[in-house]
Amino acid sequence: GINAEYMGSIMQRLPSAPTGGRRQIKVIANYFPVVFKGSIIRYKVNIEPLVQQHQFDLYIRILRAAREQLRDLLQFYIPQSFVLYSPTSFQGASWTSEPVEVENVRYTLTLDKLSVIEVSDPATVQMLGRLFKQVQRRLGFKEINRAYYNPKAEEKMPSHHITIWPGYITALKPLGDRILINIDLHFKVIREQSVLQEILELLRLFNQSQEKVQRELKGMTIMATYAKKMYRIDDIVWSITPQDFFESLTGEMVTFLDYYKRRWDINIKDKRQPLLLHRNRTGPVREVLLIPELCVMTGLPPSKLADRDLMGKIANITKLRPEKTLEKARGLINALDANAPVAQLLKEWKLEIKQEPLVFDTNKLDAGKAIMGTREGSQREEFSWENTQDLARKIQTVMHSTPVLRKVGVICSERESKALEDFMEHLLEANKMFGRPFQEKPVRFLVQNDRDDNEWRRRLESFFKENQSVEFIFAILPGRKKAAPQYLAVKKWLMEKGVPSQVILASTISAGRNLRSIVNMCVMQVAAKVGYVPWITNELPFSDRPTLIVGIDYSRRRNSKSILAVCATMDKNFAKYWCDYKLTEGDTLVPLDLQGLMEGAFRNFILRHKMLPETLIILRDGLPEGSQATIAEKEINAIKLAEDKVLTSQEGIRMRLLYVGVTRRVHAKFFKSETNKIENPPQGTVVEAPIAGTDDFFLVSQRVPDMKGSAIPSHFRIIHNELAPPNDQARKKRSIGKARTPYLQTLLHVLQYSRSDESSCSGSLRSCTFEIRESFYQRRNKGKFKVEGTTLLIFHLKRSCLLYTSPSPRDS
């Protein structure tokens, strides 16, 4: 167990929560008050003959059969599991319906009054959530997953063959004696390409392999163009065609060809195409067969993601300025008020959504100072992270710790020899400025046929035979950003060789813009990739005692292996990392796999420091809502077992564990409102009450210019805490508590602080929330691709450059 005396002495040494580094600001949230002026009665539904709880579909059909009677009695109601909610009360304690017939059985319903539910009752939020879904459907919005989209306000892009549907995601949040509704904007891309075209293209790509096509399309969302309704592809039925018969809802046997002609006046052209299967979770019709020719794909294909012109046009529609984002959110409330039937429905329920969003005061944390290197015995250079305007210039100085590399290679195609000369000139200048990290002049070698992946591999192999001690490779590649044809082939070969590398596009060098800055940033990336530290942040919390911070992510991949990955800090400045990952089958994390990875992190920490850390902070990304506590419990047990295994061979006291769930895809938005102008909040804005509770908070960790869209905060939930005093058992089980929250917030802020202007620093200072990304090695040929290799782990933590692991993870 935990030694109470030792824990007490540790807690006394903990510095108090920072106060001087916080200032108050006023923010607006995309939460709107819901005024509830009436009362809601809860009715118990009893059915004779008895209907069991698991017969929910039958229950719904009986309610539909009795709909007219229920409307005459209650006028408005919302059903849930054998319970009805209504703003209307009837005389007496119960009511019994006239018999209704369903599947040749006569049923009677009896409603018994249970209670009047209060605003604070969790059932109120659930009931109102169903009501808001209902009113959005009445507006003509189309539901896809949790979002509702308005096809009437679609934005067409004919030249790119896509359409964008604007929409909303809404969520209700109880706040004392009132309720707030969170309204966030969402967008859906609809392609003009039919599913049949996609199937035929994939068949050609996969040499007519139906199994591979099925695996590729399974789980994708498609839209039936005739009904503008979304479906999920659960299977492809190759044995059924539009010429086959099926039984309609009226019991008639009819072919798909005849049905679509009669029902939709559509002539199906391809009579031999397979059908798509969609499975409904509820409802009388559990399986729906769809015609691929009459459905279109949704979302952007990989080839479109590399189209900068298209992505820029999409960003103009989807990444709105803060004031426009808030205005669009209000647009949903205006639409509800402007639609007479919907407005009447809300009036009957005695509900009103206020136009003015929630406004409150919150705090902004100080980002701290960057500590760089020294020049000729002088003190270390430092500057505040707060002023990001000229950050790219400030960090281009002597690094905190400069690498020493003797043999460095530069590979380039013969066609790009001019770009190579320009790069080498600036690289040698950067080498002098950064204190000569390259002891010898980098060796250049050229590729003749630069369109052939194999030629690049052969040239690399021959270079490494002649230069056995190569420590780093610069690769100058032809092609566009994110679409360099040889990128994956070169990266894969070098990773399998275990040699870190940095890719620069020849077009970037040839453009000549900010070339000196780009090369300088490349040198700083070299330092990070080989285990050195370009800069640190001063006075980080927990840095005054042995502390291990571990980022964990479990990436579930559709129709392929999943990835469990960890990245652990290895020094007191949280600037050096050890990474490892494991490919897993299935879509659930296996605790034994996590235990093995955590053992590796602990043993590497011991290898460096000859002891276990006193404090272990887990930042767990991607925990699904609703099951966070269950998953966290299993993972914490796995971490404890890993600790037990290491403790058998290492003397020491058990670590104090802080387990924090991190969600980066949140729908809460916050806007600074200290003047009449609405703008993005500054980085370091932390939001607790009234939106968050005592054991969670939001943090805006990056500066986002208003022209680039609205800032997206991260949500932190403290799930398990052993940092509280030993005698405070309630806080140990619950969370870190209000008094300690700013302390953790400060740490997370400086760990997540990021650079807003990526273009001037060649992408080395990107979003600093940790993230695990799977990078498939793809070979493109006439627009086709195939998966060729392993995975690439990218972990962003603090303000460091990118860190890569090889297929055999190396301790960097």
Side-chain angles (χ1 to χ4, degrees):
I2 299 174
N3 185 304
E5 183 179 351
Y6 172 79
M7 282 290 292
S9 65
I10 288 294
M11 294 308 297
Q12 289 176 3
R13 283 158 42 203
L14 280 172
S16 60
T19 55
R22 298 162 67 88
R23 64 179 175 88
Q24 199 172 71
I25 61 172
K26 189 176 292 294
V27 297
I28 301 175
N30 61 339
Y31 286 80
F32 299 82
V34 179
V35 179
F36 184 50
K37 298 177 180 177
S39 59
I40 298 175
I41 295 91
R42 177 164 37 199
Y43 297 96
K44 172 68 176 174
V45 181
N46 298 300
I47 301 176
E48 289 291 338
L50 183 64
V51 175
Q52 301 292 337
Q53 289 284 338
H54 67 273
Q55 295 178 293
F56 188 73
D57 288 344
L58 177 58
Y59 163 69
I60 292 297
R61 277 179 279 169
I62 294 170
L63 287 183
R64 286 174 179 165
R67 182 181 296 167
E68 293 303 321
Q69 296 184 57
L70 291 171
R71 283 182 174 173
D72 289 342
L73 177 70
L74 302 174
Q75 192 173 9
F76 299 102
Y77 64 91
I78 290 178
Q80 283 192 342
S81 181
F82 295 89
V83 174
L84 289 184
Y85 296 95
S86 175
T88 307
S89 178
F90 53 76
Q91 292 185 348
S94 64
W95 168 87
T96 301
S97 73
E98 296 294 326
V100 295
E101 187 171 317
V102 177
E103 296 181 351
N104 300 320
V105 179
R106 292 170 65 82
Y107 295 93
T108 57
L109 285 79
T110 300
L111 300 186
D112 295 324
K113 288 181 181 178
L114 290 180
S115 61
V116 176
I117 62 173
E118 303 294 334
V119 172
S120 58
D121 193 320
T124 305
V125 174
Q126 295 178 12
M127 185 277 303
L128 291 179
R130 293 177 66 92
L131 176 63
F132 280 115
K133 288 181 179 180
Q134 189 181 116
V135 298
Q136 288 184 87
R137 285 194 291 267
R138 291 195 181 191
L139 289 175
F141 291 2
K142 302 294 181 180
E143 182 182 6
I144 307 175
N145 298 325
R146 290 182 51 224
Y148 283 83
Y149 299 92
N150 183 9
K152 296 176 184 176
E154 65 184 14
E155 297 266 2
K156 289 184 176 292
M157 294 186 177
S159 60
H160 297 284
H161 309 290
I162 64 171
T163 299
I164 297 177
W165 283 7
Y168 304 92
I169 289 183
T170 59
L172 291 163
K173 181 179 180 62
L175 187 64
D177 59 350
R178 58 177 176 162
I179 293 176
L180 302 175
I181 182 169
N182 172 229
I183 303 177
D184 192 24
L185 307 184
H186 215 259
F187 299 87
K188 189 68 177 177
V189 174
I190 311 294
R191 294 190 235 167
E192 292 181 8
Q193 182 186 29
S194 73
V195 180
L196 178 59
Q197 291 173 306
E198 184 75 7
I199 289 174
L200 295 176
E201 187 175 328
L202 290 172
L203 282 172
R204 287 193 296 270
L205 174 63
F206 295 129
N207 296 320
Q208 305 303 311
S209 171
Q210 295 179 353
E211 182 183 349
K212 290 182 178 179
V213 172
Q214 189 161 309
R215 190 164 58 243
E216 190 73 18
L217 293 179
K218 188 175 180 180
M220 286 195 168
T221 300
I222 59 174
M223 185 185 77
T225 54
Y226 48 88
K228 288 197 172 181
K229 188 174 179 181
M230 299 293 171
Y231 296 92
R232 180 182 184 272
I233 299 177
D234 292 308
D235 211 342
I236 300 177
V237 187
W238 301 93
S239 59
I240 301 179
T241 70
Q243 301 176 83
D244 290 316
F245 286 84
F246 74 98
E247 184 179 355
S248 68
L249 293 176
T250 61
E252 179 188 7
M253 296 302 293
V254 61
T255 66
F256 291 93
L257 294 171
D258 292 338
Y259 169 79
Y260 278 93
K261 180 61 179 176
R262 291 185 208 168
R263 176 70 177 83
W264 300 99
D265 193 24
I266 294 174
N267 294 311
I268 297 175
K269 297 176 183 178
D270 189 333
K271 298 178 176 57
R272 300 178 62 185
Q273 62 186 297
L275 301 191
L276 308 172
L277 176 65
H278 166 77
R279 294 187 178 93
N280 286 317
R281 295 181 180 179
T282 59
V285 180
R286 284 306 182 92
E287 292 188 342
V288 178
L289 289 170
L290 301 163
I291 310 297
E293 179 184 309
L294 305 180
C295 300
V296 293
M297 305 293 294
T298 65
L300 288 173
S303 59
K304 296 286 188 183
L305 295 174
D307 188 334
R308 297 180 69 179
D309 176 59
L310 171 61
M311 297 308 292
K313 291 178 180 177
I314 292 176
N316 290 337
I317 297 172
T318 60
K319 294 185 177 181
L320 303 176
R321 297 177 70 95
E323 68 274 10
K324 199 70 176 177
T325 299
L326 204 55
E327 180 186 329
K328 290 280 187 180
R330 284 198 189 98
L332 175 59
I333 304 173
N334 293 333
L336 298 176
D337 294 339
N339 186 289
V342 169
Q344 180 62 29
L345 177 63
L346 293 176
K347 184 178 179 181
E348 293 293 337
W349 281 89
K350 297 180 176 58
L351 288 173
E352 180 187 0
I353 306 176
K354 294 293 186 181
Q355 289 271 356
E356 294 306 314
L358 192 66
V359 182
F360 55 93
D361 292 328
T362 191
N363 291 309
K364 184 227 175 291
L365 303 177
D366 180 52
K369 293 181 179 180
I371 309 299
M372 307 298 295
T374 60
R375 288 187 184 276
E376 300 177 357
S378 61
Q379 290 186 340
R380 289 187 178 274
E381 297 183 24
E382 60 180 54
F383 58 86
S384 173
W385 286 115
E386 290 294 331
N387 183 10
T388 62
Q389 301 298 327
D390 57 348
L391 183 59
R393 179 187 59 80
K394 288 180 177 178
I395 61 177
Q396 293 178 40
T397 183
V398 179
M399 289 179 276
H400 187 271
S401 63
T402 302
V404 178
L405 300 175
R406 297 194 178 279
K407 187 70 72 174
V408 174
V410 183
I411 186 171
C412 181
S413 72
E414 286 188 349
R415 289 192 301 122
E416 305 293 351
S417 56
K418 177 62 170 64
L420 174 61
E421 292 297 329
D422 292 341
F423 175 76
M424 290 296 296
E425 179 184 346
H426 285 84
L427 184 62
L428 294 176
E429 290 178 2
N431 193 38
K432 294 177 183 177
M433 185 188 76
F434 285 115
R436 295 182 58 80
F438 311 130
Q439 299 294 296
E440 301 176 7
K441 185 178 179 180
V443 180
R444 64 185 81 185
F445 56 109
L446 301 176
V447 177
Q448 292 182 345
N449 183 8
D450 61 7
R451 291 182 175 87
D452 184 359
D453 290 358
N454 292 324
E455 179 64 22
W456 286 86
R457 294 191 190 101
R458 283 193 294 269
R459 193 69 187 90
L460 284 166
E461 287 172 1
S462 65
F463 178 77
F464 274 83
K465 285 180 181 178
E466 299 168 4
N467 302 272
Q468 297 290 332
S469 59
V470 175
E471 298 172 274
F472 198 90
I473 290 290
F474 288 102
I476 300 175
L477 301 182
R480 295 180 292 110
K481 186 177 182 181
K482 297 183 180 180
Q486 281 71 44
Y487 178 87
L488 295 170
V490 171
K491 273 289 185 182
K492 179 185 176 183
W493 192 93
L494 289 168
M495 287 178 68
E496 290 174 347
K497 190 74 174 176
V499 176
S501 61
Q502 176 63 44
V503 170
I504 311 99
L505 293 179
S507 57
T508 302
I509 299 172
S510 300
R513 293 189 297 270
N514 301 318
L515 185 54
R516 179 181 177 183
S517 177
I518 290 170
V519 175
N520 288 346
M521 295 306 302
C522 286
V523 175
M524 300 186 81
Q525 286 179 322
V526 171
K529 291 179 181 181
V530 297
Y532 289 81
V533 181
W535 55 75
I536 66 169
T537 299
N538 70 323
E539 298 180 359
L540 281 175
F542 298 99
S543 62
D544 60 339
R545 65 192 61 84
T547 300
L548 179 63
I549 302 177
V550 181
I552 302 175
D553 198 358
Y554 184 66
S555 175
R556 290 167 291 276
R557 305 293 302 187
R558 183 174 56 85
N559 305 328
S560 67
K561 289 186 176 182
S562 299
I563 305 173
L564 170 63
V566 300
C567 187
T569 62
M570 286 291 140
D571 70 331
K572 69 175 184 179
N573 297 311
F574 310 124
K576 292 187 177 182
Y577 316 105
W578 175 89
C579 302
D580 202 353
Y581 67 90
K582 187 174 181 62
L583 297 179
T584 64
E585 301 288 350
D587 57 357
T588 55
L589 188 151
V590 179
L592 190 61
D593 294 332
L594 177 60
Q595 180 183 335
L597 294 177
M598 290 303 299
E599 282 181 34
F602 295 155
R603 294 191 189 282
N604 272 272
F605 192 93
I606 293 170
L607 186 65
R608 289 170 178 262
H609 304 289
K610 312 304 179 187
M611 64 180 297
L612 271 170
E614 292 179 5
T615 305
L616 173 62
I617 300 175
I618 300 293
L619 302 178
R620 174 58 160 95
D621 192 25
L623 282 176
E625 292 289 339
S627 55
Q628 288 187 349
T630 304
I631 295 173
E633 183 179 3
K634 293 178 181 178
E635 294 184 1
I636 290 168
N637 288 336
I639 293 167
K640 296 288 187 183
L641 288 172
E643 182 184 10
D644 290 340
K645 200 163 183 180
V646 173
L647 278 173
T648 59
S649 59
Q650 177 76 20
E651 293 185 4
I653 299 174
R654 299 191 70 92
M655 293 175 283
R656 297 169 302 137
L657 173 63
L658 179 65
Y659 184 102
V660 183
V662 185
T663 305
R664 290 175 291 122
R665 295 180 179 179
V666 299
H667 301 296
K669 298 287 190 303
F670 305 105
F671 310 99
K672 182 182 175 183
S673 178
E674 293 187 326
T675 61
N676 293 329
K677 183 181 178 183
I678 296 174
E679 54 191 3
N680 280 322
Q683 67 274 14
T685 298
V686 60
V687 176
E688 298 173 292
I691 301 300
T694 58
D695 53 2
D696 69 317
F697 57 87
F698 293 89
L699 182 64
V700 179
S701 56
Q702 72 283 354
R703 174 184 172 271
V704 179
D706 293 346
M707 67 184 68
K708 292 191 176 182
S710 300
I712 301 176
S714 296
H715 185 213
F716 297 89
R717 183 178 299 279
I718 303 166
I719 298 172
H720 181 89
N721 171 45
E722 296 174 1
L723 300 187
N727 58 354
D728 192 348
Q729 295 297 324
R731 281 179 62 197
K732 280 179 65 177
K733 291 180 180 178
R734 177 171 54 87
S735 75
I736 199 167
K738 275 285 188 184
R740 292 245 174 240
T741 305
Y743 189 68
L744 177 63
Q745 288 166 353
T746 302
L747 173 67
L748 292 171
H749 173 43
V750 292
L751 287 178
Q752 288 206 317
Y753 185 93
S754 69
R755 167 71 174 152
S756 61
D757 181 9
E758 298 182 12
S759 60
S760 64
C761 56
S762 190
S764 65
L765 300 172
R766 300 179 182 175
S767 171
C768 294
T769 51
F770 63 87
E771 61 182 272
I772 309 300
R773 294 179 182 171
E774 183 175 12
S775 174
F776 288 106
Y777 291 98
Q778 302 166 347
R779 179 167 58 203
R780 300 185 180 277
N781 180 20
K782 297 182 181 178
K784 304 173 184 177
F785 67 90
K786 69 176 182 178
V787 175
E788 282 195 335
T790 180
T791 58
L792 175 66
L793 171 64
I794 306 177
F795 187 98
H796 300 264
L797 185 61
K798 192 171 165 283
R799 291 172 300 279
S800 71
C801 303
L802 299 184
L803 173 73
Y804 296 83
T805 64
S806 62
S808 299
R810 289 156 40 106
D811 183 2
S812 297

